[in-house]
C-alpha cells in the first residue's frame, strides 16, 4: 500500500488546528444531524460551540443518510445511545415512521426535526422549527395582519402553525404544484378548524400573486429558491423579479434561508426599505431548543451559537 507523505507546512497546520479541537474520550456523548446533503450544515459548528461553553462532554456530528436507510440508521443510533438527533431535508416527514411517540406540536405539523431518546430503545419525535421560526418575530405585532407564505413543503407547515399561534388574520400560501398545494391547504384547514385565521392557497402558475404581495404585512419564503446556487426558471428570486415591483416598504420579508446572507430576495427587500429577517436566528433558536430537550438545561448560550455560525459563514 502506498502511503501519503504530509508536507512539513501541512503538519504545522494540523497541529495548530488540533490544539483547538474538543477532546473526545470514551465517555463523550454523541449527538448529530441526519439529512442529505449535510456537508454544508452549520449545526455541528454552533452545537459544539454551545457544548464547550456549557461544559458538556458532548460531540455533534453531521451524518449523511439516504431515505432508504433512515429507519435502520435511526434504530442503530438509538442502540449505540446517541443523546439526540436533529433531522433535516429531506427526512422531516419520513422520520415520523422511526418515532414511537410524538410531541403535540410534531403531531400537529406531522414533521419532526428533533429525536429524543426514550426508554426501550425508542425515539420521541419533536419539532422545534415552529418556536425557532417565531423567535425573530417576537418584537413585531402581527395580530390580525395579512401574511403570504411562499412554498408548501415541510417548513411551511411549521410556519403556518406558528403564525396561527400569534393570531395573524389571513395566510395566503403560494405554491407551484396544484396537487401538493391542495393537500397542504386541506391538511392545514383540518388542523386549524377551531381557529379564526383564514388560510387560502394560490397556484402561481394559474393566478397573479401581485394583489396578495401588495396587501401583505409579512412575506415568508419557505422554498429553497435563492439558497447557494439554487434558482428557478426566473432566477434566484422567489416568484421572479417582476412580482416585487410594487412591494411596500412596510412589508416585512422573512427568508428561511441563511446562506447566502443576505439572499438576492432580501437584498431586493433592503433596496425597497423593507425590514428583512434571514433564517439564521431560526436555525440557532431551533438548535438551542433541541439542546434544552436533550440536556434538560434551560440556559443554552444562544449568542455563542449565533456568533460561531456567523464566523463560519464568513470564512
Ligand atoms: P421542502 O419540504 O422541500 O419544501 C420546499 C417547498 O418549496 C415546496 O413547496 C416546493 O414545491 C417549493 N419549491 C422548491 N423548489 C422550488 C422552485 N424552484 N420554485 C418554486 N417552488 C419551489 O423544504 P423545506 O424543509 O420546507 O425547506 C425550505 C427552505 O427553508 C430550505 O431552503 C431550507 O433550508 C429552509 N429552512 C430553514 C430553516 C432554518 O432553521 N432557518 C429551517 C427549515 C427550513 P414543490 O412541492 O412543487 O417541489
Amino acid at each position: 500500500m502506498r502511503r501519503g507523505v504530509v508536507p512539513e507546512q501541512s503538519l504545522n497546520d494540523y497541529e495548530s488546528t488540533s490544539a483547538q479541537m474538543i477532546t473526545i474520550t470514551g465517555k463523550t456523548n454523541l449527538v448529530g444531524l441526519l439529512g442529505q446533503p449535510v456537508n454544508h450544515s452549520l449545526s455541528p459548528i454552533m452545537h459544539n460551540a454551545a457544548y464547550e461553553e456549557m461544559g458538556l462532554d458532548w460531540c455533534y456530528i453531521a451524518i449523511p443518510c439516504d431515505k432508504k436507510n433512515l429507519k435502520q440508521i435511526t434504530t442503530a443510533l438509538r442502540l449505540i445511545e446517541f443523546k439526540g438527533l436533529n433531522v433535516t431535508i429531506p427526512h422531516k416527514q419520513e422520520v415520523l415512521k422511526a418515532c414511537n411517540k410524538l410531541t403535540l406540536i410534531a403531531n400537529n405539523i406531522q414533521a419532526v426535526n428533533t429525536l429524543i431518546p426514550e426508554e426501550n430503545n425508542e425515539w420521541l419525535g419533536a419539532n422545534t422549527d415552529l418556536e425557532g421560526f417565531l423567535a425573530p418575530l417576537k418584537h413585531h405585532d402581527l395580530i390580525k395582519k395579512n401574511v403570504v407564505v411562499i412554498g408548501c413543503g415541510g417548513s411551511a407547515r411549521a410556519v403556518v402553525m406558528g403564525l396561527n399561534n400569534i393570531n395573524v388574520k389571513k395566510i395566503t400560501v403560494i405554491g407551484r404544484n396544484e396537487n401538493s398545494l391542495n393537500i397542504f391547504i386541506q391538511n392545514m384547514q383540518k388542523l386549524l378548524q377551531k381557529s379564526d385565521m383564514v388560510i387560502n392557497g394560490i397556484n402561481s402558475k394559474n393566478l397573479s400573486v401581485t394583489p396578495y404581495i401588495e396587501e401583505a404585512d409579512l412575506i415568508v419564503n419557505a422554498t429553497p429558491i435563492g439558497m447557494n446556487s439554487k434558482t428557478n426558471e426566473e432566477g434566484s428570486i422567489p416568484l421572479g423579479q417582476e412580482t416585487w415591483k410594487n412591494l411596500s416598504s412596510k412589508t416585512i420579508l422573512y427568508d428561511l434561508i441563511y446562506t447566502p446572507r443576505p439572499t438576492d430576495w432580501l437584498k431586493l427587500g433592503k433596496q425597497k426599505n423593507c425590514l428583512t429577517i434571514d433564517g439564521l436566528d431560526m436555525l440557532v433558536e431551533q438548535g438551542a431548543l433541541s439542546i434544552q430537550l436533550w440536556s434538560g438545561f434551560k440556559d443554552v448560550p444562544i449568542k455563542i451559537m449565533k456568533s460561531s455560525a456567523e464566523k463560519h459563514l464568513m470564512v
Side-chain angles (χ1 to χ4, degrees):
M1 191 179 69
R2 235 182 110 212
R3 285 206 174 85
V5 178
V6 182
E8 208 56 44
Q9 181 60 42
S10 323
L11 202 56
N12 290 340
D13 287 351
Y14 171 75
E15 279 164 359
S16 62
T17 329
S18 63
Q20 294 155 19
M21 279 168 132
I22 8 168
T23 312
I24 297 175
T25 69
K27 291 186 205 144
T28 304
N29 285 308
L30 293 174
V31 270
L33 171 72
L34 292 180
Q36 188 73 282
V38 286
N39 51 354
H40 291 106
S41 171
L42 289 176
S43 292
I45 300 285
M46 62 176 199
H47 275 264
N48 288 319
Y51 305 152
E52 197 180 341
E53 178 69 18
M54 294 167 82
L56 287 177
D57 185 10
W58 287 19
C59 177
Y60 188 104
I61 53 172
I63 305 162
C65 168
D66 272 346
K67 184 178 168 186
K68 63 177 187 325
N69 301 328
L70 185 65
K71 180 77 178 75
Q72 248 180 317
I73 290 180
T74 47
T75 303
L77 296 180
R78 180 66 195 93
L79 286 174
I80 60 167
E81 300 197 350
F82 261 57
K83 273 271 174 193
L85 288 169
N86 281 137
V87 182
T88 188
I89 293 181
H91 302 319
K92 286 184 188 177
Q93 270 138 322
E94 187 66 23
V95 81
L96 290 169
K97 294 179 190 152
C99 300
N100 306 86
K101 280 184 230 152
L102 295 175
T103 61
L104 188 63
I105 294 177
N107 189 42
N108 280 343
I109 303 173
Q110 285 291 298
V112 161
N113 78 331
T114 305
L115 295 178
I116 304 154
E118 291 267 289
E119 279 177 7
N120 303 322
N121 291 324
E122 295 184 343
W123 285 115
L124 165 68
N127 190 304
T128 62
D129 279 339
L130 184 154
E131 285 173 83
F133 165 73
L134 288 180
L137 293 176
K138 61 178 174 247
H139 302 300
H140 302 283
D141 179 12
L142 291 163
I143 298 174
K144 300 288 163 220
K145 299 286 168 99
N146 288 320
V147 184
V148 165
V149 176
I150 312 168
C152 52
S155 58
R157 300 171 79 92
V159 167
V160 166
M161 294 302 285
L163 291 168
N164 177 59
N165 288 3
I166 57 169
N167 299 318
V168 306
K169 182 171 80 184
K170 185 175 92 176
I171 301 181
T172 306
V173 180
I174 300 178
R176 61 172 179 177
N177 175 320
E178 191 75 33
N179 193 34
S180 47
L181 180 65
N182 284 342
I183 293 172
F184 181 89
I185 297 295
Q186 279 164 18
N187 286 341
M188 289 293 132
Q189 280 171 340
K190 220 182 278 171
L191 281 172
L192 300 167
Q193 265 171 12
K194 292 189 184 136
S195 162
D196 294 336
M197 189 183 79
V198 176
I199 176 161
N200 291 316
I202 298 290
N203 184 339
S204 56
K205 295 241 154 99
N206 304 336
L207 273 179
S208 164
V209 297
T210 322
Y212 303 95
I213 301 290
E214 284 176 14
E215 68 163 20
D217 300 289
L218 167 72
I219 304 178
V220 182
N221 176 31
T223 76
I225 304 164
M227 190 168 112
N228 299 323
S229 55
K230 252 190 201 149
T231 58
N232 66 355
E233 58 271 24
E234 290 101 5
S236 57
I237 295 192
L239 306 169
Q241 188 104 23
E242 197 55 19
T243 306
W244 308 97
K245 219 170 50 189
N246 296 322
L247 178 67
S248 159
S249 62
K250 293 194 184 118
T251 308
I252 303 173
L253 301 191
Y254 187 165
D255 203 333
L256 300 196
I257 297 171
Y258 49 84
T259 170
R261 265 187 117 204
T263 55
D264 287 348
W265 184 57
L266 292 190
K267 273 189 209 160
L268 180 150
K270 281 179 206 254
Q271 281 160 11
K272 301 255 180 196
N273 293 320
C274 296
L275 197 146
T276 62
I277 302 169
D278 66 37
L280 193 62
D281 282 323
M282 174 176 174
L283 181 81
V284 171
E285 295 280 345
Q286 60 78 31
L289 287 162
S290 296
I291 298 177
Q292 282 185 5
L293 292 171
W294 297 327
S295 70
F297 292 122
K298 287 271 166 284
D299 252 353
V300 178
I302 287 178
K303 281 191 185 148
I304 286 183
M305 292 175 77
K306 186 170 176 185
S307 63
S308 65
E310 278 173 330
K311 255 185 244 159
H312 191 76
L313 282 174
M314 279 188 280
V315 178

